[in-house]
Amino acid sequence: MWIWGFFTEFVPLALLGMQCVWALTEPWISHQGNVTVSMAQGGLLGTHARRSAIQQLVGKWVIQERHNMDEFLRRLGFGSLQRALISKAGQETEILEVEGGEIVKIVTTDLRGSSQLELPIGRGGVVAHDGDGGATVCRAATMERGDLVVTETLDGEILPLSVCKRKVTPDGRMIMEVTKRTPQGDTVAMQVVARRVEP
C-alpha cells in the first residue's frame, strides 16, 4: 500500500517541482512590485524576428534525450528512487503563440494530466502561487538571440530562481536547457532534447 501512496502523493508533487524548474535569465532583471521586467536590450529581438523564432517552436514535442538529469535532481534534494521515477516519466509539451505572437502558451502533459502557462513575451511577468512548496513566484518570457527564455523569480527577490531556454536546432529538434538555484545557493543545470510530434 505504501507504494500506491507514494505514486499518488509524491510523484505528482515531484513532477510539479520539475515543471516549476522550467524557468535565471541574464542578470539584467529589475523587480518592480509583483512584475519582473527584462532590462536586456541587445538580446531582445524585433517583432518580426521574434515571431519567426516563436513559430519555429510552435507544435507538440516529446522528450527524446535527457542530459545530467540525475545530477540535477540529486542536487535539488531528490532521493534515488524519486530521481529514477522522474527521469523515466514521459512528458509532452505543446507550444502555441497567442495574440499574434505577443503571448506564448506552454501546455505540459504528464502523469498528473495537463497544465498550462501563458506569458506575454517581453512585457513583464505573471505572478502565481504555485512555485516549489506553493511559493509566490513571478514568471516572465523573453526572446533572446532566438531562444525562448522563461524565468522564475521568487517573490521579493531580484535574481531568478530558475531559467529555461528553448531553441530549435538545424536538424529540427528542440533543445531545452534548465538552470536552477539549489537549496545550498549554487546552481545546477540539465538539458533535454525533444522531437516534434507530427500532426
Side-chain angles (χ1 to χ4, degrees), residues 172-189:
R173 298 192 298 172
M174 180 174 70
I175 305 293
M176 182 171 67
E177 297 174 345
V178 180
T179 303
K180 184 163 184 174
R181 191 188 325 147
T182 70
Q184 293 74 36
D186 56 352
T187 59
V188 62

Side-chain angles (χ1 to χ4, degrees), residues 63-129:
I63 295 175
Q64 195 173 33
E65 300 172 19
R66 295 174 171 89
H67 301 282
N68 205 44
M69 176 72 84
D70 189 71
E71 175 68 6
F72 183 86
L73 295 172
R74 186 188 69 77
R75 296 268 303 280
L76 292 175
F78 292 88
S80 58
L81 180 57
Q82 301 163 349
R83 298 198 306 270
L85 288 170
I86 295 170
S87 295
K88 288 179 172 54
Q91 187 180 77
E92 181 180 280
T93 300
E94 183 174 14
I95 300 175
L96 306 103
E97 58 174 346
V98 182
E99 295 184 13
E102 295 298 312
I103 294 175
V104 64
K105 181 176 180 179
I106 303 171
V107 181
T108 303
T109 305
D110 53 31
L111 290 174
R112 296 170 296 120
S114 293
S115 61
Q116 66 181 40
L117 185 63
E118 286 192 33
L119 298 172
I121 300 175
R123 293 189 287 122
V126 174
V127 174
H129 306 285

Side-chain angles (χ1 to χ4, degrees), residues 157-172:
E157 294 190 359
I158 296 175
L159 294 177
L161 174 65
S162 63
V163 65
C164 175
K165 294 185 180 183
R166 290 179 173 91
K167 65 182 176 184
V168 176
T169 62
D171 65 359

Side-chain angles (χ1 to χ4, degrees), residues 6-19:
F6 177 82
F7 273 97
T8 58
E9 294 180 19
F10 174 77
V11 171
L13 290 174
L15 291 171
L16 177 62
M18 281 303 300
Q19 188 172 16

